Amino acid sequence: MITLKSSHEIQLMRRAGEITAAARALAGAMVAPGVTTREIDRAVHRYIKSQGAVPSFLHYNGFPASVCVSVNDEVIHGIPGNRVLKEGDIVSIDVGAFKDGYHGDCAATYPCGRISEEAARLIEVTRQSFFEGLRYAREGYRLPDLSGAIQQYVEGQGFSVVRDYVGHGIGGKMHEAPEIPNYVEPRAGRPRFLRGMTIAVEPMVNAGGFGIKVMPDGWTVKTADGKLSAHYENTILITDGEPELLTDPEAKAE
């Protein structure tokens, strides 16, 4: 069931979103040759805890870290570890924070040093596809309007949208109704956007085909064809006017 948030709940979600967005920015600023993915995870964990919050992902369904760090052909759910980032990598950071009973969730893909022109374009198209969809995250529109805008933009740029994983409602639980596909999926229905809804929209875009494969660790998702993938996400509040990003892309860690 889709839950509409009260003004008090929205205030709590704003704070969770602020912490989450700042954690994303901290992680993104750390992406550089020679840094390990575990170092990024530890820094994010420390920051979220310093804000009186809890990392949403840590132990979620058994996930062993506070942040997902997915490199190059890894789409999502990369487990931080001893991997050393190198020049030319692209690094997707996905992070959540739980504060006073509510979650924030956001992601972005960052260049590690100098990257290829194709990689840079993939990152930019993925980010822009979110904002193409955001235009429809408001009262009067339905889910396929948002999903279709993302899909049309991505495919128009020669890339593909991952089909196996989708965005979601968010609030007291990390994943709430409705599911938010990044492509038109008839089975997702046509729920109408209503003020007070809070959703996480997260295009996952592949440079090649949309096929994916899950690694033996049970978490890491890679592109089936080994080509690059990028990810971009924010938590959104539906209002009676322009949508509000609860995870501000301009946020910085204090």
Side-chain angles (χ1 to χ4, degrees):
M1 187 176 76
I2 296 172
T3 62
L4 304 182
K5 308 305 190 291
S6 68
S7 58
H8 176 65
E9 289 176 305
I10 289 166
Q11 281 299 109
L12 295 176
M13 288 197 67
R14 284 194 179 106
R15 179 57 185 146
E18 288 171 2
I19 296 167
T20 308
R24 172 179 58 184
L26 171 66
M30 290 181 68
V31 171
V35 175
T36 68
T37 56
R38 180 174 284 117
E39 288 175 293
I40 293 173
D41 179 67
R42 286 174 174 164
V44 167
H45 181 90
R46 282 195 302 269
Y47 175 74
I48 291 175
K49 297 288 282 186
S50 78
Q51 299 302 301
V54 175
S56 297
F57 298 173
L58 185 61
H59 308 312
Y60 183 79
N61 290 337
F63 190 74
S66 298
V67 61
C68 300
V69 185
S70 307
V71 183
N72 296 335
D73 63 335
E74 296 175 349
V75 182
I76 50 173
H77 301 163
I79 299 173
N82 295 327
R83 182 170 187 164
V84 179
L85 300 180
K86 63 181 188 300
E87 187 92 9
D89 286 341
I90 64 172
V91 183
S92 295
I93 302 290
D94 190 358
V95 62
F98 183 70
K99 169 76 170 170
D100 296 330
Y102 291 88
H103 293 273
D105 188 10
C106 62
T109 302
Y110 298 91
C112 185
R114 297 179 63 178
I115 62 174
S116 70
E117 188 174 319
E118 181 198 33
R121 195 169 78 84
L122 175 65
I123 291 173
E124 179 53 34
V125 166
T126 304
R127 184 181 190 279
Q128 183 59 34
S129 73
F130 168 88
F131 288 99
E132 295 294 321
L134 183 66
R135 294 186 293 145
Y136 298 93
R138 53 193 302 162
E139 286 195 310
Y141 290 104
R142 292 182 181 272
L143 177 57
D145 299 319
L146 184 153
S147 302
I150 292 172
Q151 180 181 14
Q152 184 174 15
Y153 178 76
V154 168
E155 292 178 353
Q157 298 295 316
F159 297 131
S160 60
V161 173
V162 170
R163 309 277 177 116
D164 296 77
Y165 297 89
V166 298
H168 50 91
I170 184 171
K173 296 180 179 178
M174 170 62 67
H175 295 103
E176 299 183 350
E179 290 192 342
I180 312 287
N182 301 300
Y183 64 99
V184 177
E185 168 53 271
R187 288 175 296 181
R190 295 177 51 81
R192 188 184 298 277
F193 293 121
L194 301 172
R195 73 187 74 178
M197 285 177 65
T198 45
I199 58 175
V201 175
E202 50 177 321
M204 291 152 269
V205 178
N206 293 349
F210 61 72
I212 57 89
K213 56 186 177 182
V214 180
M215 296 296 98
D217 63 24
W219 282 104
T220 308
V221 177
K222 290 190 176 187
T223 58
D225 57 16
K227 294 189 176 180
L228 296 176
S229 187
H231 187 195
Y232 190 80
E233 174 185 23
N234 283 301
T235 300
I236 301 166
L237 169 66
I238 307 297
T239 74
D240 57 0
E242 292 291 322
E244 178 183 341
L245 296 185
L246 299 180
T247 46
D248 180 2
E250 306 304 319
K252 295 286 184 284
E254 299 164 2

